[in-house]
Amino acid sequence: MNSDAQTRANAAQMPVLEFATTAFTVPPRLSQATVAIVTTGALVGDGHADWNQGEETFRVLPRAQRAFRMAHWSLNFDRTGFTSDINVLYPIDRLEELAAEGIIGGVAPRHLSFMGALHDTLSTIRLDTGPAAAKLLRDDGVSVVLLTGA
Amino acid sequence: MCTRTGGALAHVLEQQGLATVQLSSVRGHTERIKPPRALYCEFPFGRPLGKPNDAAFQRSVIMAAFGLLASTEGPILEDFPERIADATDTPMTCTLPPSFNGATSSVIDEARALRSAYERQLKRSGRTSVGITGGVETIPALLEAFLKIAAGTSPDDAGLPSEPHRAALDVRAYYEEAALALADHVPEARATESWFFQQTEAGKLLRSAQQQLIAAGRTDYLDTIVPRGQE
């Protein structure tokens, strides 16, 4: 069994957060939507501190920036894809192309990175940093979020 | 895991008035977390868009995800039709450069010999993931410290500038980025990881260091230096 298959098999035994209901926001037409990426791939740019294990904060990724470093705590995934092409984790250039073609309304000026290797109740994300992230995105006029993770 | 955290974020952002769509890497987690919209992509971990340097493929993934935005109710979970497996079991082929100086430790020698390849990759991509503990100049010193740990020295006394986990990530990033320059193509997912841990002196040293720590009763170091499956 390869490593990813093993990880997926192990993941099936892990506890997950369960939500009683699922909120559902009706988006505008895609051609009118401003889209942001929120990744849990632990990207950091110049001046950003690395994550500590278990940290539930986020870093802001400016639209024009590409020189990110992956500071993810987990060892158990491929990093060479990202090293070769950031779009395989953070598809910012694909969004720019879709915006230029009018398929999406626009690309957000700021995108966000969290670190996904978290194992507790995520109460900080649910009650504090998550809502703060949403406010930042809403202030930028974002209506649709694409979530990616390592 | 990222899918678990991303699913929770989807709930929170959606509650705050944003429409979200998640690229899920673990279908079982998404089935239980129930984010509003998710596209399960069975691609290698670390490559949620599937294929590096393949804009058309990445675009097809994004458009499949955006297609879920047309749904009038959720939660909705669909599968991307193509699957991609990692290549952990097939280490990349990468010939190491000849040693510089037989008088130094072979692992230090090996690391120094890779410096020009690392610099080529850095010049090509403009990015590096080396730097968690310090710059590329620190790699030989990190390996010296791991040599001491493998010989039985406590990590606290080995001279590492940070915990072994972070130092190991820097060493691995240095080697993997050098390997990309030597191979001159993007290897399949985790083939470089297997090359590093199974075929290079540095990778074998990290495995030895972790084994030494575990044998000494430091089970808290399990899975912190060497990924699962590479021990």
Side-chain angles (χ1 to χ4, degrees), chain B residues 66-89:
Chain B
F66 284 166
L68 303 183
L69 293 165
S71 177
T72 55
E73 58 182 18
I76 181 169
L77 169 59
E78 291 192 357
D79 293 355
F80 190 78
E82 184 172 340
R83 296 182 176 192
I84 305 170
D86 69 281
T88 315
D89 298 336

Side-chain angles (χ1 to χ4, degrees), chain A residues 38-128:
Chain A
V38 175
T39 183
T40 50
L43 303 188
V44 293
D46 289 343
H48 286 159
D50 281 2
W51 271 268
N52 293 312
Q53 189 172 24
E55 188 181 330
E56 298 182 30
T57 59
F58 61 85
R59 312 286 185 264
V60 176
L61 314 177
R63 173 179 177 175
Q65 191 172 341
R66 300 292 184 272
F68 298 114
R69 181 165 58 82
M70 184 186 280
H72 207 294
W73 195 264
S74 173
L75 301 174
N76 297 300
F77 61 84
D78 175 81
R79 292 163 185 263
T80 56
F82 171 79
T83 301
S84 304
D85 176 10
I86 63 168
N87 290 283
V88 82
L89 172 69
Y90 176 67
I92 185 70
D93 294 321
R94 299 295 83 77
L95 289 193
E96 295 287 2
E97 292 158 6
L98 294 172
E101 295 172 34
I103 295 172
I104 63 173
V107 180
R110 295 183 289 180
H111 305 263
L112 304 177
S113 182
F114 286 78
M115 185 174 76
L118 302 170
H119 300 286
D120 68 6
T121 59
L122 305 183
S123 58
T124 299
I125 281 180
R126 289 187 289 121
L127 302 174
D128 181 2

Side-chain angles (χ1 to χ4, degrees), chain A residues 8 25 73 85 94 101 150, chain B residues 14 37 46 53 58-59 165:
Chain A
R8 285 189 173 95
T25 298
W73 195 264
D85 176 10
R94 299 295 83 77
E101 295 172 34
Chain B
E14 200 92 13
R37 304 166 202 81
N53 300 323
Q58 293 169 6
R59 182 186 176 115
H165 172 87

Side-chain angles (χ1 to χ4, degrees), chain B residues 1-228:
Chain B
M1 298 189 75
C2 277
T3 293
R4 183 176 179 273
T5 305
L9 275 167
H11 277 279
V12 174
L13 298 178
E14 200 92 13
Q15 285 163 359
Q16 301 287 325
L18 295 160
T20 64
V21 57
Q22 182 188 14
L23 301 184
S24 163
S25 298
V26 181
R27 199 178 202 290
H29 282 188
T30 303
E31 288 170 351
R32 288 186 282 160
I33 296 171
K34 295 183 170 59
R37 304 166 202 81
L39 180 70
Y40 174 60
C41 300
E42 192 165 307
F43 302 151
F45 289 111
R47 301 183 177 190
L49 275 292
K51 298 181 182 179
N53 300 323
D54 189 336
F57 187 86
Q58 293 169 6
R59 182 186 176 115
S60 71
V61 175
I62 293 171
M63 292 311 296
F66 284 166
L68 303 183
L69 293 165
S71 177
T72 55
E73 58 182 18
I76 181 169
L77 169 59
E78 291 192 357
D79 293 355
F80 190 78
E82 184 172 340
R83 296 182 176 192
I84 305 170
D86 69 281
T88 315
D89 298 336
T90 314
M92 69 179 290
T93 301
C94 182
T95 305
L96 290 163
S99 297
F100 281 163
N101 181 355
T104 61
S105 162
S106 60
V107 67
I108 305 299
D109 220 15
E110 175 189 79
R112 287 180 174 152
L114 289 168
R115 178 67 181 267
S116 61
Y118 167 82
E119 296 293 347
R120 282 204 306 279
Q121 174 61 25
L122 177 59
K123 186 175 180 182
R124 184 160 64 185
S125 71
R127 298 180 291 110
T128 179
S129 286
V130 176
I132 299 173
T133 59
V136 64
E137 292 77 12
T138 65
I139 297 298
L142 298 182
L143 291 168
E144 293 276 14
F146 278 114
L147 282 167
K148 292 177 184 173
I149 293 170
T153 301
S154 164
D156 296 335
D157 301 325
L160 283 175
S162 67
E163 59 268 58
H165 172 87
R166 290 177 188 266
L169 280 171
D170 262 347
V171 172
R172 176 178 163 187
Y174 172 76
Y175 270 72
E176 289 194 339
E177 290 173 25
L180 287 174
L182 292 171
D184 208 27
H185 70 281
V186 184
E188 290 185 69
R190 306 189 80 159
T192 313
E193 171 192 307
S194 289
W195 163 79
F196 172 65
F197 281 106
Q198 303 302 324
Q199 297 185 7
T200 71
E201 294 294 325
K204 292 173 188 172
L205 172 60
L206 295 190
R207 289 168 55 206
S208 176
Q210 180 166 286
Q211 287 163 5
Q212 167 62 31
L213 289 166
I214 302 303
R218 297 296 304 270
T219 53
D220 51 321
Y221 282 104
L222 188 65
D223 292 344
T224 63
I225 299 173
V226 181
R228 285 188 295 272

